[in-house]
Amino acid sequence: MVKKRTKRGRAVQKRTGRSRWKRWLLLGLVTLMLSAILYAIYLDHIVQARFEGQRWAVPAKVYGRTLDLYPGASVTSKHLTQTLDGLGYRQVKHPDQPGYYSSYRGRFLLRTRAFHFPDIDRPSDYLEVVMDGQGVISLKRAGNGDPIGHYRIEPRLIGSLTSTHGEDRILLKRDQLPALLVNALIAIEDRNFYQHIGIDPIAIGRALWANLVAKRVVQGGSTLTQQLVKNFFLSADRTLWRKFNEVLMALILDWRYDKDEILEAYANEIYLGQQGGKAIHGFALASHFYFNRPLQELDLSRLATLVTLVRGPSAYDPRRHPQQAEKRRDLVLQLMVDQGVISQQQATQASHTPLSVEQGDRRSSGSPAFMDLVKRQLRRDYREEDLNAGGLRIFSTLDPWFQNRAEQAISLQLKALEGTHGIAQGTLQGALTLADVETGEVMALVGDRNPRFAGFNRALDAVRPVGSLIKPAVYLSALSQPNRYHLLSTLDDRPIRIKGANGEIWAPRNYDNLSHDQVTLQQALVESLNLATVSLGLSVGLESVIDNLHRLGIQRPMEPYPSLLLGAVSLSPLEMTQMYQTLANGGYSATLKSIRDVTDGQGKPLSRYPLSIESRVDTRAVFLLKHALNEVTRSGTAKALQWLLPGEVEVAGKTGTTDKLRDSWFAGFDRHRVAVAWVGRDDNAPTGLTGSSGAMRVWARLMNGIGIAALQQEPPMGVDVLTIDPLSGLLGEGCPQTTNYPFIAGSGPTSEASCAHSESLVDEGILWLQRLFN
């Protein structure tokens, strides 16, 4: 009985143990299933939150200004051709699609691309533009011959702001992806894309078998969905846990979203190259980066090259490894044939096509100095995160044609100056700014002799003594007092000694170390006489000169020291451009700006930067001053412009030279544009260059490159132009040699010179004698 009970107890215990084990196993399985479900829910939340929110940090894109075409526009064939080439247009015999043009003897046939401007969504057009050496003769639609009054060529992308993660991309919708690209991608990377559930067990098995046979990894089994998950959601760690997450999230993604949405995301996310510190993501940006044209304009060969890069952007980089890239491209083409995507004839033809990769992205002009100005002005109005991730579209004032000429003027002229003046090569530096006289729009900006160098921006930050460039403010202060001064007023040009507060004596001298006793006010400015300028400045008062400097646009605080009158104040080229813009515009100041419009990524206008002009100084006095500055370029310190510029064009300007020839300046303007050039050394060592022999040569090279619009000096109301005898300074109508001078009404001479009307008296005597004898 005891033995039976013992056996029965053992059996009960065994059954109880098995029951407990089953319960624990069941509990474990339930817990595991619940954990898996909860983890799947967690991953589902991550997928939805990221995929349905702002998927990418798209940095703001900055565009240049448009090229405006209209009958009479001063646009040459060379200008139009360079603009189209910079936009990635292709010259052919018969343009049959957007992005192509033909040109023959001044007649252009042009199929423009559609573009979303801030004010209009413009479709593609087919244009005929007829030009001669002066500009546009006629503009019409090539299809029906209808005349066009005005047409804007789309602006060129000049750069983008750096995103938080150093990525850049151009977003495309699914229907914007070329069918050949999609078919090639699926044929090469995921042939069962439209049939599987996010993962492809058949592809995984096929890849495992191929790798086992080859005894190395020769094939992957990841679907496009898995690749997207890996790039978009996960890190690059190669662990089993990451692979598990990849599979689970791919299943979730495929369950939640349709195939086309997944394909669109993949096409925008895929990494396809590197440009310096900027990662190239997505096929749209890669198309511009490698081929300088939109994705929709690529042929079969180029599309296959882009698909090649999916497997390895570094290994198959067509610029660094063209042979490997071409071999892989041909493999892609053959696989497309095998999958029935293209014919063998199409593949053969495409495989015989060169890679045709552009050497650098010409779509972005690479103007770091100007981009620096844009960023500084944007940061006054926008948050950093909006600029780096909001996908804003910035329409700037930069003119790529003028920018190219400005860059050449700096780099080529500095090299020439070093050669002709025996200066060590590479030691000179320079800056150049160009702005529209009426609007203040900055059209070109160069901050280094190497325009592509994104370092110290001398155009904005080289705060250097400006020398005689400041003198017009002194003379403006005097001419604004017509009861005391006019252009023919006499000034003392004699040595002067001024004792400072610290007891030191300041004794300025003229550049030639000579004094000229008495000179006219205009002569003093034209010849840049220091002694006469100091005498005049002290007479009108230092506070008056400083006030006029501020009125002309200089915002820096200044101390009323006498040396200020000769430019002992440090300012940047951009600040001097603001001052001379006000002078060139007749006393009307337009704040310099680099931005016209800002829109969001969908083209909705966010901000406009309208024209803002303010009358700051007496227009009449400015007209007199411009007359004198014009004479500076004819007979004064800038008279070399008479042979540096073509013909006898009318411009105005002022040279500037600092102590020991450390800084060379020139500021000048024509009817439409004002430019300021600076030449010097970063170590502040003497250059041996005056304003005339240095910076003015840069300025002249720029103006010759962009074309000069001669000044038209129409006197404003309240200004009389009088005929003056230069010997006496009196009214000289009838004198043998006379010059016309402008005067503020009521301030000019009223007496006549002794020679006045002498010729008319002789003529009257001859007529009397003739009547007498007839």
Side-chain angles (χ1 to χ4, degrees), residues 14-48:
K14 187 178 291 187
R15 287 195 300 270
T16 303
R18 282 198 299 267
S19 177
R20 287 176 181 175
W21 180 82
K22 288 180 180 179
R23 286 197 301 270
W24 280 110
L25 179 61
L26 181 61
L27 181 61
L29 289 173
V30 170
T31 302
L32 184 62
M33 289 178 62
L34 286 174
S35 299
I37 292 171
L38 289 174
Y39 188 64
I41 293 172
Y42 165 72
L43 291 182
D44 180 51
H45 173 73
I46 291 178
V47 168
Q48 290 188 73

Short mmCIF file of all heavy atoms in Angstrom, two decimals, residues 14-48:
data_model
loop_
_atom_site.label_atom_id
_atom_site.label_comp_id
_atom_site.label_asym_id
_atom_site.label_seq_id
_atom_site.Cartn_x
_atom_site.Cartn_y
_atom_site.Cartn_z
N LYS A 14 4.40 14.54 -11.01
CA LYS A 14 4.88 14.68 -12.39
C LYS A 14 3.85 15.42 -13.23
O LYS A 14 4.19 16.30 -14.03
CB LYS A 14 5.17 13.30 -12.98
CG LYS A 14 5.84 13.38 -14.35
CD LYS A 14 6.15 11.98 -14.87
CE LYS A 14 7.26 11.33 -14.04
NZ LYS A 14 7.68 10.03 -14.64
N ARG A 15 2.54 15.00 -13.05
CA ARG A 15 1.51 15.69 -13.81
C ARG A 15 1.41 17.15 -13.40
O ARG A 15 1.22 18.04 -14.25
CB ARG A 15 0.15 14.99 -13.59
CG ARG A 15 0.03 13.65 -14.29
CD ARG A 15 -1.41 13.18 -14.35
NE ARG A 15 -1.98 13.02 -13.03
CZ ARG A 15 -1.92 11.88 -12.34
NH1 ARG A 15 -1.33 10.81 -12.84
NH2 ARG A 15 -2.47 11.80 -11.14
N THR A 16 1.54 17.39 -12.13
CA THR A 16 1.50 18.79 -11.65
C THR A 16 2.65 19.60 -12.22
O THR A 16 2.49 20.75 -12.63
CB THR A 16 1.55 18.81 -10.12
OG1 THR A 16 0.47 18.03 -9.60
CG2 THR A 16 1.47 20.24 -9.59
N GLY A 17 3.85 18.99 -12.27
CA GLY A 17 5.02 19.70 -12.83
C GLY A 17 4.83 20.02 -14.29
O GLY A 17 5.16 21.11 -14.75
N ARG A 18 4.29 19.00 -15.03
CA ARG A 18 4.07 19.26 -16.46
C ARG A 18 3.03 20.35 -16.65
O ARG A 18 3.14 21.19 -17.53
CB ARG A 18 3.61 17.97 -17.15
CG ARG A 18 4.75 17.00 -17.42
CD ARG A 18 4.36 15.96 -18.46
NE ARG A 18 3.23 15.15 -18.02
CZ ARG A 18 3.34 13.99 -17.39
NH1 ARG A 18 4.53 13.48 -17.13
NH2 ARG A 18 2.25 13.31 -17.05
N SER A 19 2.02 20.34 -15.80
CA SER A 19 0.98 21.36 -15.90
C SER A 19 1.54 22.75 -15.63
O SER A 19 1.22 23.71 -16.33
CB SER A 19 -0.15 21.03 -14.91
OG SER A 19 -1.13 22.03 -14.93
N ARG A 20 2.37 22.80 -14.58
CA ARG A 20 2.99 24.09 -14.28
C ARG A 20 3.88 24.55 -15.44
O ARG A 20 3.89 25.72 -15.81
CB ARG A 20 3.82 23.98 -13.00
CG ARG A 20 2.99 23.90 -11.75
CD ARG A 20 3.90 23.70 -10.57
NE ARG A 20 3.13 23.60 -9.33
CZ ARG A 20 3.67 23.31 -8.15
NH1 ARG A 20 4.98 23.10 -8.06
NH2 ARG A 20 2.90 23.25 -7.09
N TRP A 21 4.62 23.64 -16.00
CA TRP A 21 5.53 23.99 -17.11
C TRP A 21 4.75 24.50 -18.32
O TRP A 21 5.12 25.46 -18.96
CB TRP A 21 6.34 22.75 -17.49
CG TRP A 21 7.31 23.02 -18.62
CD1 TRP A 21 8.52 23.56 -18.55
CD2 TRP A 21 7.06 22.72 -20.00
NE1 TRP A 21 9.10 23.66 -19.77
CE2 TRP A 21 8.22 23.14 -20.70
CE3 TRP A 21 5.99 22.14 -20.71
CZ2 TRP A 21 8.34 23.00 -22.08
CZ3 TRP A 21 6.12 22.01 -22.06
CH2 TRP A 21 7.29 22.44 -22.75
N LYS A 22 3.60 23.83 -18.58
CA LYS A 22 2.76 24.28 -19.69
C LYS A 22 2.19 25.67 -19.43
O LYS A 22 2.12 26.50 -20.34
CB LYS A 22 1.62 23.28 -19.92
CG LYS A 22 2.07 21.95 -20.52
CD LYS A 22 0.89 21.03 -20.70
CE LYS A 22 1.33 19.69 -21.31
NZ LYS A 22 0.16 18.76 -21.46
N ARG A 23 1.76 25.85 -18.12
CA ARG A 23 1.23 27.18 -17.82
C ARG A 23 2.29 28.26 -17.98
O ARG A 23 2.03 29.33 -18.53
CB ARG A 23 0.67 27.20 -16.39
CG ARG A 23 -0.65 26.46 -16.25
CD ARG A 23 -1.36 26.85 -14.97
NE ARG A 23 -0.58 26.55 -13.79
CZ ARG A 23 -0.61 25.43 -13.12
NH1 ARG A 23 -1.42 24.45 -13.53
NH2 ARG A 23 0.15 25.24 -12.05
N TRP A 24 3.49 27.98 -17.52
CA TRP A 24 4.56 28.97 -17.66
C TRP A 24 4.93 29.19 -19.14
O TRP A 24 5.20 30.32 -19.57
CB TRP A 24 5.82 28.50 -16.91
CG TRP A 24 5.74 28.77 -15.43
CD1 TRP A 24 5.61 27.86 -14.43
CD2 TRP A 24 5.78 30.06 -14.81
NE1 TRP A 24 5.56 28.46 -13.21
CE2 TRP A 24 5.66 29.83 -13.41
CE3 TRP A 24 5.87 31.36 -15.28
CZ2 TRP A 24 5.66 30.89 -12.48
CZ3 TRP A 24 5.88 32.39 -14.35
CH2 TRP A 24 5.77 32.15 -12.98
N LEU A 25 4.93 28.09 -19.89
CA LEU A 25 5.22 28.22 -21.32
C LEU A 25 4.16 29.05 -22.01
O LEU A 25 4.47 29.93 -22.82
CB LEU A 25 5.30 26.82 -21.95
CG LEU A 25 5.59 26.81 -23.47
CD1 LEU A 25 6.95 27.45 -23.75
CD2 LEU A 25 5.56 25.37 -23.98
N LEU A 26 2.90 28.76 -21.64
CA LEU A 26 1.81 29.51 -22.25
C LEU A 26 1.89 30.99 -21.87
O LEU A 26 1.70 31.88 -22.70
CB LEU A 26 0.46 28.92 -21.80
CG LEU A 26 -0.80 29.60 -22.37
CD1 LEU A 26 -0.82 29.51 -23.89
CD2 LEU A 26 -2.05 28.95 -21.77
N LEU A 27 2.18 31.21 -20.57
CA LEU A 27 2.31 32.59 -20.09
C LEU A 27 3.45 33.31 -20.82
O LEU A 27 3.33 34.47 -21.21
CB LEU A 27 2.54 32.59 -18.58
CG LEU A 27 2.67 34.00 -17.94
CD1 LEU A 27 1.38 34.80 -18.14
CD2 LEU A 27 3.00 33.85 -16.44
N GLY A 28 4.54 32.56 -21.02
CA GLY A 28 5.68 33.15 -21.73
C GLY A 28 5.33 33.50 -23.16
O GLY A 28 5.72 34.56 -23.68
N LEU A 29 4.62 32.56 -23.80
CA LEU A 29 4.23 32.82 -25.19
C LEU A 29 3.28 34.00 -25.30
O LEU A 29 3.40 34.83 -26.20
CB LEU A 29 3.57 31.56 -25.79
CG LEU A 29 4.51 30.37 -26.05
CD1 LEU A 29 3.70 29.14 -26.48
CD2 LEU A 29 5.53 30.74 -27.14
N VAL A 30 2.32 34.05 -24.38
CA VAL A 30 1.38 35.18 -24.38
C VAL A 30 2.12 36.48 -24.15
O VAL A 30 1.87 37.49 -24.82
CB VAL A 30 0.29 34.97 -23.30
CG1 VAL A 30 -0.54 36.23 -23.14
CG2 VAL A 30 -0.59 33.80 -23.67
N THR A 31 3.06 36.45 -23.17
CA THR A 31 3.85 37.66 -22.87
C THR A 31 4.67 38.08 -24.08
O THR A 31 4.75 39.26 -24.42
CB THR A 31 4.78 37.41 -21.68
OG1 THR A 31 3.99 37.02 -20.55
CG2 THR A 31 5.58 38.66 -21.35
N LEU A 32 5.27 37.07 -24.74
CA LEU A 32 6.09 37.36 -25.92
C LEU A 32 5.23 37.94 -27.05
O LEU A 32 5.62 38.91 -27.71
CB LEU A 32 6.77 36.08 -26.40
CG LEU A 32 7.74 36.23 -27.58
CD1 LEU A 32 8.89 37.15 -27.21
CD2 LEU A 32 8.27 34.86 -27.98
N MET A 33 4.04 37.34 -27.22
CA MET A 33 3.15 37.84 -28.27
C MET A 33 2.69 39.27 -27.96
O MET A 33 2.66 40.13 -28.85
CB MET A 33 1.94 36.92 -28.41
CG MET A 33 2.26 35.56 -29.03
SD MET A 33 0.81 34.49 -29.12
CE MET A 33 -0.24 35.45 -30.20
N LEU A 34 2.33 39.49 -26.69
CA LEU A 34 1.92 40.84 -26.30
C LEU A 34 3.06 41.85 -26.50
O LEU A 34 2.85 42.97 -26.98
CB LEU A 34 1.44 40.86 -24.85
CG LEU A 34 0.06 40.23 -24.58
CD1 LEU A 34 -0.22 40.17 -23.07
CD2 LEU A 34 -1.03 41.02 -25.28
N SER A 35 4.26 41.43 -26.12
CA SER A 35 5.43 42.31 -26.28
C SER A 35 5.68 42.60 -27.76
O SER A 35 5.97 43.74 -28.14
CB SER A 35 6.68 41.66 -25.68
OG SER A 35 6.51 41.45 -24.30
N ALA A 36 5.55 41.54 -28.57
CA ALA A 36 5.75 41.74 -30.01
C ALA A 36 4.69 42.68 -30.58
O ALA A 36 4.99 43.55 -31.41
CB ALA A 36 5.71 40.39 -30.72
N ILE A 37 3.44 42.48 -30.11
CA ILE A 37 2.36 43.35 -30.59
C ILE A 37 2.60 44.79 -30.16
O ILE A 37 2.47 45.73 -30.96
CB ILE A 37 1.00 42.85 -30.09
CG1 ILE A 37 0.65 41.50 -30.74
CG2 ILE A 37 -0.10 43.88 -30.36
CD1 ILE A 37 -0.57 40.82 -30.14
N LEU A 38 2.96 44.94 -28.87
CA LEU A 38 3.23 46.30 -28.37
C LEU A 38 4.41 46.93 -29.10
O LEU A 38 4.39 48.12 -29.43
CB LEU A 38 3.50 46.25 -26.86
CG LEU A 38 2.29 45.94 -25.98
CD1 LEU A 38 2.71 45.77 -24.52
CD2 LEU A 38 1.25 47.06 -26.09
N TYR A 39 5.44 46.12 -29.37
CA TYR A 39 6.61 46.66 -30.08
C TYR A 39 6.25 47.00 -31.52
O TYR A 39 6.69 48.02 -32.06
CB TYR A 39 7.75 45.64 -30.06
CG TYR A 39 9.06 46.20 -30.60
CD1 TYR A 39 9.71 47.24 -29.94
CD2 TYR A 39 9.61 45.72 -31.77
CE1 TYR A 39 10.88 47.77 -30.43
CE2 TYR A 39 10.80 46.23 -32.28
CZ TYR A 39 11.43 47.26 -31.59
OH TYR A 39 12.60 47.79 -32.09
N ALA A 40 5.40 46.16 -32.13
CA ALA A 40 4.95 46.46 -33.49
C ALA A 40 4.12 47.75 -33.50
O ALA A 40 4.23 48.57 -34.42
CB ALA A 40 4.13 45.30 -34.05
N ILE A 41 3.27 47.91 -32.46
CA ILE A 41 2.49 49.15 -32.36
C ILE A 41 3.43 50.35 -32.20
O ILE A 41 3.21 51.42 -32.81
CB ILE A 41 1.50 49.06 -31.18
CG1 ILE A 41 0.43 48.01 -31.47
CG2 ILE A 41 0.86 50.42 -30.90
CD1 ILE A 41 -0.49 47.73 -30.29
N TYR A 42 4.47 50.16 -31.39
CA TYR A 42 5.46 51.23 -31.19
C TYR A 42 6.15 51.58 -32.51
O TYR A 42 6.26 52.76 -32.87
CB TYR A 42 6.48 50.76 -30.15
CG TYR A 42 7.73 51.61 -30.11
CD1 TYR A 42 7.71 52.90 -29.59
CD2 TYR A 42 8.93 51.09 -30.59
CE1 TYR A 42 8.87 53.67 -29.55
CE2 TYR A 42 10.09 51.85 -30.56
CZ TYR A 42 10.06 53.15 -30.05
OH TYR A 42 11.19 53.90 -30.01
N LEU A 43 6.58 50.56 -33.26
CA LEU A 43 7.23 50.82 -34.54
C LEU A 43 6.25 51.44 -35.52
O LEU A 43 6.62 52.31 -36.33
CB LEU A 43 7.80 49.52 -35.12
CG LEU A 43 9.00 48.92 -34.40
CD1 LEU A 43 9.47 47.66 -35.12
CD2 LEU A 43 10.15 49.93 -34.32
N ASP A 44 4.99 51.00 -35.46
CA ASP A 44 3.97 51.58 -36.34
C ASP A 44 3.81 53.06 -36.05
O ASP A 44 3.66 53.88 -36.96
CB ASP A 44 2.65 50.83 -36.13
CG ASP A 44 1.54 51.39 -37.02
OD1 ASP A 44 1.77 51.52 -38.24
OD2 ASP A 44 0.47 51.71 -36.49
N HIS A 45 3.85 53.41 -34.77
CA HIS A 45 3.75 54.83 -34.39
C HIS A 45 4.94 55.61 -34.95
O HIS A 45 4.76 56.73 -35.46
CB HIS A 45 3.71 54.94 -32.87
CG HIS A 45 3.78 56.35 -32.37
ND1 HIS A 45 2.73 57.24 -32.48
CD2 HIS A 45 4.81 57.04 -31.78
CE1 HIS A 45 3.08 58.41 -31.98
NE2 HIS A 45 4.34 58.31 -31.55
N ILE A 46 6.12 55.04 -34.85
CA ILE A 46 7.31 55.71 -35.37
C ILE A 46 7.20 55.91 -36.88
O ILE A 46 7.48 56.98 -37.42
CB ILE A 46 8.57 54.90 -35.03
CG1 ILE A 46 8.84 54.95 -33.52
CG2 ILE A 46 9.78 55.41 -35.81
CD1 ILE A 46 10.03 54.14 -33.09
N VAL A 47 6.77 54.86 -37.57
CA VAL A 47 6.65 54.94 -39.03
C VAL A 47 5.66 56.02 -39.42
O VAL A 47 5.94 56.85 -40.30
CB VAL A 47 6.21 53.57 -39.60
CG1 VAL A 47 5.79 53.71 -41.05
CG2 VAL A 47 7.34 52.56 -39.46
N GLN A 48 4.48 56.02 -38.77
CA GLN A 48 3.47 57.02 -39.13
C GLN A 48 3.92 58.44 -38.80
O GLN A 48 3.74 59.36 -39.60
CB GLN A 48 2.16 56.71 -38.41
CG GLN A 48 1.45 55.46 -38.91
CD GLN A 48 0.08 55.34 -38.27
OE1 GLN A 48 -0.85 56.08 -38.61
NE2 GLN A 48 -0.05 54.40 -37.34
#
